[in-house]
Amino acid sequence: MRDDRNPGDGGDVGTDRNPGGDAPDWPVSLRGVTESVVATRGPNGRWNLAALGLHAPEHDGRDADAPVRARTWGRTRTRRNFAERGGGVVQFVADPRDFVDAAVTVREEPEPVVDSADAWVRVDAERVDAGERGGTEWVDWHLRPGEASVERTAVRTVNRGFGAVVEATVAASRLSVPAYDTEALLDRLVYFADVVERCGGAPEREAFATLTAETGWRDRLDGDDSE
């Protein structure tokens, strides 16, 4: 499930570091808020997948060598697993279906890295701040990279449908939050659905269909806000 948006929402995986050497780096360049999928190991030994936005230091007005920041909202599995395991595996995917699965469903896997990951990195997660907004608790984490791998270097094309899918997960995650205007969120989702239909390919359409089925946002277009 989405862990970085305000929705209202082998063993421990600390990174292997060399104290005498240079600190590991991220396998990809981060700018602004980079969307990712994070895998964290739960009490059942399986890896929970969730969408997570990675805030580059410059985006937050911090020094370039400061740690990447991520924020979890609510008492999510990622928050629990970060706290109990000390880290996870961040991966960068180009398949919108895997992104939506992570953002709006409860997906658990025996291994942390999904097949569509272009790159992945094990991270240490350090809790650095916490608070509340709109009745929802949030926690800020500093993520420090360790072991990493680039799985693909092929050129990946981007269509507007993919961006619409990502934005739709944010809007859908806020539908049950009193601080947000439900009508405005539904208008956005209608727009994003149209963009996906006009500009997306089969993967984007499949991903949006999953988002629609899991969140039930279309049911609210007739004014049914009974949830």
Side-chain angles (χ1 to χ4, degrees):
M1 308 292 283
R2 279 217 74 103
D3 278 300
D4 63 322
R5 305 298 178 187
N6 183 353
D9 179 332
D12 294 350
V13 291
T15 58
D16 295 329
R17 294 188 170 276
N18 178 5
D22 294 334
D25 204 354
W26 290 82
V28 299
S29 297
L30 304 178
R31 67 183 189 279
V33 181
T34 300
E35 294 293 341
S36 75
V37 170
V38 63
T40 55
R41 178 170 269 179
N44 61 358
R46 295 178 66 83
W47 295 86
N48 179 74
L49 300 181
L52 190 68
L54 309 174
H55 294 240
E58 297 93 330
H59 179 71
D60 294 342
R62 296 177 292 139
D63 292 339
D65 59 353
V68 168
R69 181 179 68 83
R71 174 171 289 184
T72 55
W73 289 90
R75 296 181 178 275
T76 62
R77 291 171 174 81
T78 300
R79 170 178 163 173
R80 176 197 65 196
N81 296 341
F82 269 173
E84 294 181 358
R85 300 283 187 171
V89 179
V90 169
Q91 50 207 295
F92 303 93
V93 303
D95 190 323
R97 294 164 295 194
D98 280 332
F99 185 82
V100 166
D101 281 350
V104 302
T105 74
V106 177
R107 179 175 174 182
E108 293 183 327
E109 298 289 347
E111 300 295 335
V113 181
V114 300
D115 290 341
S116 70
D118 288 338
W120 57 267
V121 57
R122 292 180 182 268
V123 296
D124 287 329
E126 176 191 5
R127 176 172 171 149
V128 294
D129 200 4
E132 181 185 69
R133 191 171 78 192
T136 301
E137 298 176 358
W138 56 263
V139 176
D140 276 351
W141 307 85
H142 279 173
L143 305 182
R144 294 180 171 84
E147 176 191 3
S149 176
V150 175
E151 302 294 335
R152 297 180 184 85
T153 57
V155 175
R156 293 284 188 127
T157 58
V158 176
N159 63 63
R160 288 179 60 203
F162 185 88
V165 168
V166 173
E167 287 299 317
T169 67
V170 179
S173 73
R174 294 172 171 171
L175 280 173
S176 298
V177 186
Y180 292 98
D181 186 321
T182 298
E183 185 175 349
L185 292 172
L186 291 174
D187 286 345
R188 291 184 194 175
L189 286 163
V190 170
Y191 173 75
F192 295 143
D194 179 63
V195 172
V196 170
E197 185 62 30
R198 289 186 293 107
C199 304
E204 286 76 27
R205 294 190 183 101
E206 290 176 25
F208 205 89
T210 297
L211 182 145
T212 298
E214 291 291 331
T215 63
W217 68 270
R218 286 191 185 277
D219 297 336
R220 301 192 178 200
L221 293 177
D222 297 327
D224 181 8
D225 263 341
S226 58
E227 293 184 30

